[in-house]
Amino acid sequence: MGNWIINHGLTAFILVVWMGINIFLFVWFYLFYDLGERFFYTRHLLGSALAWARAPAAVLNFNCLLILLPVCRNLLSLFRGSFVCCGRSMRKQLDKNLSFHKLVAYMIALMTAVHMIAHLLNVEWYNNSRQGVYDKLSTALSNLEDTKNTTYLNPIRITDLIPTYFVFTTIAGLTGVIITLALILIITSSMEVIRRSYFEVFWYTHHLFIIFFAGLVFHGAGLTDTKDLSLTLQTWMYVIGPMVLYLCERLIRFIRYMQTVRYRKVCLIRHPPLSSGALRSERNLGPIRLIVMRPSKVLELQLMKRGFKMEVGQYVFLNCPAISQLEWHPFTMTSAPEEDFFSVHIRSAGDWTDKLIEIMQQLPEGAQGPKMGVDGPFGTASEDVFDYEVSMLVGAGIGVTPFASILKSIWYKFKESNPKLRTRKIYFYWLCRETHAFEWFADLLQVLEKEMDERGMVDFLTYKLYLTKWDDGHVNHIKVYPDTDVDMVTGLRQQTNYGRPNWDKEFEQVRKENPTSVVGTFLCGPEALGEVLAKKCGKYSDVDPRKTKFYFNKENF
């Protein structure tokens, strides 16, 4: 329990505060409308549906205040830099921005459903009261006209009105329908299956938030009584701040988009599969290498931009107008801060990446690539890797990219004998399904192997590569050459493991080798693996504060 509090206590506290504010707003406004004397006659017309409509509206206002803030990436990066002097637990909350964004969206969806159902009942009861279906008092209240200081209680002014017509001909009704439809499209297109298989659908429909917010601020304009008018002003007060911040965010992105991004010299290289065991060094290509095409359809881009400064593990958003003017995609940088360029590795994973790879393949020798917009860099959990004495780095597939940046930076720090390097031990795990997926990263590991060997620091980096899928030919080759000095898959001294790691065994070993250390566990990979590692961090953290503690960190995009 103590370890859970250390790892998740602040997150739980923030969620409790957020939920508490939601509950307070709902209960406060519900009682305000259900018990307030000024709404006595309106309640006679509508019953409890009045309170059930207005209480969710207050919660909606609060959550619409929050929904844009987690996606203001520049604002979050500013906060991350400001929290350097604070504990790592505070900075970790910023890495959960998308999770909080989704949670707020779910609350908005729930409150919208309650608000909409209550108002549909209100329209029905207003119409019945106008037609004299209920008691004499309801009929009399519905017949009241405007006076000098008050407005009518029943907005339905004719007796033969069709309720559906009323909904679509009032400002409040029409804007309510529009923002509800926009919200339905936004949420349904955000489902995991849609986002991964049809990213463009998710991307474009998500921008319906512009219509949602525009409709939101006009939604209450058709309401007539004084209190409702003040609620309309409150909606403006809630959303105007986040809207201004988000507009500033988009302005910064546009300025960055207009800045010139230069490619390094284009060089398309195709290597044979790595199963031959031959390790190919790229250092002889010199500093002008720009683009490398791997057999596993991983494209490496090395770019240069004036004034660009990065930290390890950070990511950028890329936009290629030749493919789409609006689509921006996040990619973790694989270069180190010590290098005079920044690089990304892009795996073929959809229409956008396939088109980019096709464009790069068709470039003539020595030509610059298409215009590329770069937004960032933005901070991630991996920035904190050097704050730990011991770090466990876990990458799955292309999820190895932030750790490439970290390991490169370590190599530069050793070359420069950087005294600020606090980290004394790194455990690196990389899980891949196919042999050639190891290829582009194997050279970096070979350089690090050599560097650690020359400095007598072989124990500094412990890395384990796991091949989770292989064919019969691969297995037969291992049987024929069982005693080779280097691994047949990677060409490294460390032999490739087959299958998936036994995480209990790995965590137990790390704890045994570091009995008094704080260990940072970093993952860039699937959610399922994240859940496993988070549980292991809790299981193998010692109750004694003087002994081994594991802190879990995960990359989120």
Side-chain angles (χ1 to χ4, degrees), residues 8 23 30 36 39 62 84 111-112 117 130 191 195 216 234 237 255 307 333 348 388 459 465 478 554:
H8 307 290
I23 294 173
Y30 184 91
F39 303 107
F62 171 65
V84 169
M111 291 297 104
T112 298
I117 292 171
R130 166 59 64 185
M191 296 172 60
R195 197 169 69 252
L216 185 67
Q234 286 180 22
M237 293 169 60
I255 293 173
M333 289 179 287
S348 173
Y388 296 91
D459 294 334
L465 311 182
I478 297 172
K554 186 182 184 303

Side-chain angles (χ1 to χ4, degrees), residues 54 119 151 171-172 218-226 228-229 231-232:
R54 300 302 167 80
H119 268 315
T151 58
I171 295 177
F218 289 108
H219 179 56
L223 302 176
T224 53
D225 65 75
T226 306
D228 288 334
L229 183 59
L231 281 177
T232 305

